[in-house]
Each structure stands twice: as structure tokens, then as C-alpha cells.
């Protein structure tokens, strides 16, 4: 396998995630699309690291930072989605848009 195939996989994951995040109404499905987008970034970063500078640790550090950001984003997103559902019994983004006062 070469770098182009890994980048094609990463672009596909990112595109599917972008479509999922923009086309869905459910909060959980939007978060799943964002996770697919971040997984595409992880695949691209790992491929660049492996093919460009396999001896360096910069790529590994960046991958760990992105995975940590994914975990924090999922925890915060599910906490917000759970709070919205508990307070208003709403799981769609259009219904949750009017969160004023």
C-alpha cells in the first residue's frame, strides 16, 4: 500500500463524515459524522507520519492529541445531548435550537 491509498481512504472518511454531519437532524448522528471526520484526519496524519518521517515522534504526538480531542468532544457532546433530552424530551437539532431562557 502506498501513501495515495491511505490519503484516499482518509478523504473518503472525511467526506462521508461531512455528509453525515450536514444532512442529519439527530444530535447523535451529527456527532457520529464529526467522529468520522476526525478519524479521517487520524488516518491521514498516521499515513503522512509513516511515509514522510517514520523515525520522528511528531506524528505520534499529533495522533494522540486528535484522539484525546475526540474523546473530550464525545463526552461533552453526549453530556449536552443528554441534558437537552432530559429537560425537553427533544433529540432533534431543529427542536433543540430554541434553548433561550
Amino acid at each position: 500500500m502506498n501513501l495515495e491509498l491511505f490519503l484516499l481512504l482518509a478523504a473518503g472518511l472525511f467526506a462521508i463524515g461531512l455528509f453525515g454531519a450536514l444532512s442529519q437532524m439527530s444530535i447523535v448522528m451529527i456527532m457520529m459524522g464529526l467522529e468520522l471526520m476526525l478519524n479521517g484526519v487520524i488516518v491521514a496524519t498516521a499515513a503522512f507520519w509513516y511515509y514522510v518521517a517514520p523515525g520522528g515522534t511528531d506524528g505520534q504526538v499529533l495522533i494522540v492529541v486528535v484522539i484525546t480531542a475526540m474523546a473530550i468532544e464525545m463526552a461533552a457532546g453526549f453530556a449536552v445531548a443528554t441534558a437537552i433530552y432530559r429537560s425537553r424530551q427533544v433529540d432533534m437539532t431543529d427542536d433543540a435550537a430554541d434553548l433561550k431562557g
Side-chain angles (χ1 to χ4, degrees), residues 1 11 14 17 39 43 53-54 56 58 62 74-75 77 92 94-95 100:
M1 295 198 57
F14 193 86
N39 282 332
V43 169
D58 297 339
L62 187 58
M74 287 303 292
M92 299 301 218
D94 287 344
D95 298 332
K100 297 177 185 171

Side-chain angles (χ1 to χ4, degrees), residues 20-36:
L22 293 178
S23 67
Q24 297 297 319
M25 297 294 291
S26 174
I27 296 171
V28 174
M29 293 300 289
I30 290 172
M31 289 176 25
M32 287 175 62
L34 293 174
E35 289 300 314
L36 275 174

Side-chain angles (χ1 to χ4, degrees), residues 48-57 60:
F48 274 122
W49 167 70
Y50 182 75
Y51 283 102
V52 174
T57 59
Q60 292 175 351

